[in-house]
Every structure is written in structure tokens, then in C-alpha cells.
Amino acid sequence: MSAGGRTRHWAQINEVSFVAGMRLLFGVYRLFGRLPFRLLLYPVLCWYILANARARGASRLYLAQVASHHPSLGMATGLPGVLRHFAAFGESLLDKMLLWGGLFPTGQVVLSGQEQISQAIARGQGGLIICTHLGNLELCRVIGRQHPALKLTVLVHTRHAQAFNKLLAQLDPGSQLNLMQVTDMSPAMAMVLADKVAQGEFVVIAGDRVPVSPQPRVARASFMGRVAPFPVGPYVLAALLQCPVYLMFSQRTDAGARLAFELFRERIELPRKQRTACLDQLAADYAARLEAHCLQAPYQWFNFYNFWADSAVDEQHVPH
């Protein structure tokens, strides 16, 4: 609980100490390689897990929920599972820094479903891509920069990750060029995004965190066997933009990484009388696809707060 007895939103955290640790570990990696990095990663993670009860509890809750709903996975729970969960997160942060430092083997990224995106680009047709906090979103941004025809604008709320974003900017000043900070979707912002899509660009927005606002608009859908709040903003935006909507999922693999695109809807319509029902169905369909991909790499979903809480104002978590 935060001061005054209120719980805190996921965006309200102090990340400086965690990022400082990652900066040190990145230096170790550059000098000695990944094995020494991993040897030093666990003491840093143990310190952070012990010092941050909220993040530790949120990880434990998520892992227990997955293990309960999908026992065949044989998930590690309790402290061993939490340590493994945060180790995957630490590896993901290192990969982000390697990507922007030009050290990540992007040739080892396996793509699937990209043909639909390529066809849209060839037609000069833009779209909306709904991403998640599974795996590494930076893969999309780096691959986008390698293919100039794919122009991306990533909508973010960077207040909760300012220190880490500054670190990425130091590695590559271009890392911030296609980021657009959005706290609330105003009519003016919607017009800017509509212009981008009309010019054949793609807007990227997360679908698995509620917005940073006092009364966020959410729909509730089943995820890992429990009902959770999901933002409706991506679908409202898609209805305004009147463009194809894609889903994007990534995960780290032993060989490198995997990046998958899926066509979610050719268009999204929200008739006034069926608006709530339509939003509920869209959130449910998105949650089902998110769960399917999470089950392929359950330790790589990095939402370290109580995802199933009824309110968007909840526990603090680590930066991502």
C-alpha cells in the first residue's frame, strides 16, 4: 500500500536502482560474455526480489494462477518460480540493450505471419498492431528500422520507465525516434494517428495493461482461469482509424527469438447499441490469444502487478 492507504498504479514506481544494476550487468556482458552476466544476474535479482515485496507477490500470484489453471506445464511456483520469472525478465532487459547497442543477432529472429504485414505495406495500407508485455517489444522496433518500408509509431507511457529508456537512448539515440508518449487519447492525438495510418504507417499499442487514468475504461475477460480487466482503448482507437488490426507476440528462444503477427480484425465497428458487448468480445478474443502465446513461454510475461485486480490502481512493479 502507498501513503494514505491507497494502492499504487503499475506506472508509479522508482526504477533507478534496478536499472543501475542492469547497466552494471550490461558492462559485464560486453567485457566477458553472457555466462558471467548470468552468474552476476542472480545476486542482483535476489536482492531486488527480497527488497520488493509487491513485485515478488505479484509474480508469485501469476505463477500460481498459471500452475493452477494449466497443471500440465509443471510450472515452478513459490520463490524458485519467482526467481526464474525475474531471471527471464533480466535476460529480456539485456536483450533490449543488446538490440539497441547493435549486438543482438537479429538474423536469428524467426518471423511468422509477417506476410500479411508485407502485403499491406505493398498496398500502401497502414494498420494498428496490438502488442503485449510477453517477450521483447524492442524486436519489432529494431526490425522495423531495418526495413524502411515498415514505419512504426509505438504508443507508450514512459513515466514508469524513464531511466531504462534513457539507457537505451545512450546506446542508440534513434531508439526514441518512433515512440509517442500518450497518457490519454485526445481527439487531436487520434487525428495525428489517423494521418499516420492513412500514409501507410502502423501504430503499435499494448493490449494487456489498463491505461494510466483515474477511471480507466476496461472490459473484463477470462485470462488463465480468472477474470481480469483489459483496456478497451486499442479497439476504440481501431474503430476510429478504420484500419486492419494485427496482434504481435514475441518470445525469447534458445536459438534467438520468435516474433509472430496475426490478423485480428479487418475492421472494427462499434455500433452504439452493441458497443459494450462488442468491446467485451474483442477483449475476450484478445485475452484468449494472449493466453495461448503465454503458455508457450509463461515465464516471459512481464506484468509484475496484480493483473486480476478489479481496479487499475494497484501494486507497483518493475520497469518494462
Side-chain angles (χ1 to χ4, degrees):
M1 298 287 285
S2 62
R6 295 179 300 173
T7 54
R8 303 182 68 189
H9 193 279
W10 57 261
Q12 297 173 306
I13 70 163
N14 182 349
E15 31 147 5
V16 174
S17 58
F18 191 85
V19 172
M22 288 307 303
R23 187 191 300 271
L24 171 64
L25 291 176
F26 180 59
V28 170
Y29 174 88
R30 297 192 71 166
L31 289 173
F32 305 110
R34 198 154 203 138
L35 180 58
F37 162 82
R38 286 174 172 161
L39 292 175
L40 289 177
L41 173 63
Y42 280 89
V44 173
L45 291 176
C46 287
W47 167 81
Y48 188 84
I49 291 170
L50 290 173
N52 195 322
R54 289 189 176 94
R56 182 176 70 246
S59 174
R60 189 190 300 266
L61 173 67
Y62 163 71
L63 296 173
Q65 186 62 37
V66 176
S68 173
H69 192 52
H70 296 281
S72 61
L73 291 177
M75 292 282 292
T77 57
L79 191 56
V82 171
L83 186 60
R84 184 171 175 180
H85 195 188
F86 275 86
F89 181 64
E91 296 273 0
S92 174
L93 291 184
L94 174 62
D95 285 342
K96 289 174 185 283
M97 292 185 282
L98 295 179
L99 279 161
W100 290 116
L103 301 174
F104 189 89
T106 54
Q108 296 179 16
V109 178
V110 177
L111 296 172
S112 64
Q114 75 276 16
E115 300 84 4
Q116 298 175 91
I117 300 289
S118 298
Q119 291 168 7
I121 293 172
R123 295 191 300 267
Q125 181 184 49
L128 181 72
I129 299 176
I130 303 178
C131 67
T132 78
H133 288 85
L134 174 70
N136 191 347
L137 173 60
E138 313 300 319
L139 288 170
C140 178
R141 288 160 54 184
V142 169
I143 291 175
R145 291 180 61 205
Q146 293 179 343
H147 298 80
L150 176 59
K151 296 182 179 179
L152 300 170
T153 296
V154 183
L155 305 185
V156 296
H157 179 77
T158 57
R159 184 195 314 166
H160 71 287
Q162 287 179 347
F164 190 70
N165 285 337
K166 287 178 181 177
L167 177 57
L168 293 181
Q170 291 171 5
L171 296 173
D172 178 0
S175 66
Q176 305 299 293
L177 292 180
N178 58 349
L179 293 180
M180 181 176 291
Q181 184 167 329
V182 178
T183 300
D184 194 18
M185 185 58 62
S186 65
M189 180 64 69
M191 290 179 62
V192 170
L193 298 177
D195 286 342
K196 288 181 176 293
V197 171
Q199 294 169 15
E201 300 184 23
F202 290 81
V203 175
V204 183
I205 185 172
D208 59 349
R209 278 188 191 167
V210 294
V212 183
S213 61
Q215 294 181 321
R217 294 180 295 172
V218 300
R220 286 175 170 77
S222 177
F223 178 69
M224 297 295 180
R226 285 181 61 187
V227 174
F230 284 84
V232 300
Y235 317 117
V236 174
L237 178 59
L240 292 172
L241 298 179
Q242 283 295 288
C243 63
V245 182
Y246 305 89
L247 304 182
M248 188 192 74
F249 302 96
S250 70
Q251 60 178 273
R252 192 173 187 279
T253 64
D254 291 338
R258 186 177 297 126
L259 188 62
F261 295 93
E262 300 178 4
L263 179 64
F264 186 60
R265 296 287 194 278
E266 288 284 359
R267 290 285 189 280
I268 287 181
E269 304 284 348
L270 296 175
R272 186 179 299 273
K273 292 184 178 180
Q274 291 85 39
R275 182 183 178 89
T276 299
C278 288
L279 290 172
D280 287 344
Q281 186 61 57
L282 289 163
D285 291 348
Y286 170 81
R289 297 308 302 146
L290 174 62
E291 179 167 335
H293 281 269
C294 271
L295 293 179
Q296 297 176 25
Y299 295 103
Q300 294 185 36
W301 191 59
F302 306 128
N303 265 339
F304 293 102
Y305 68 100
N306 185 355
F307 189 75
W308 291 271
D310 288 335
S311 171
V313 181
D314 196 67
E315 318 267 12
Q316 69 179 36
H317 82 318
V318 293
H320 180 51

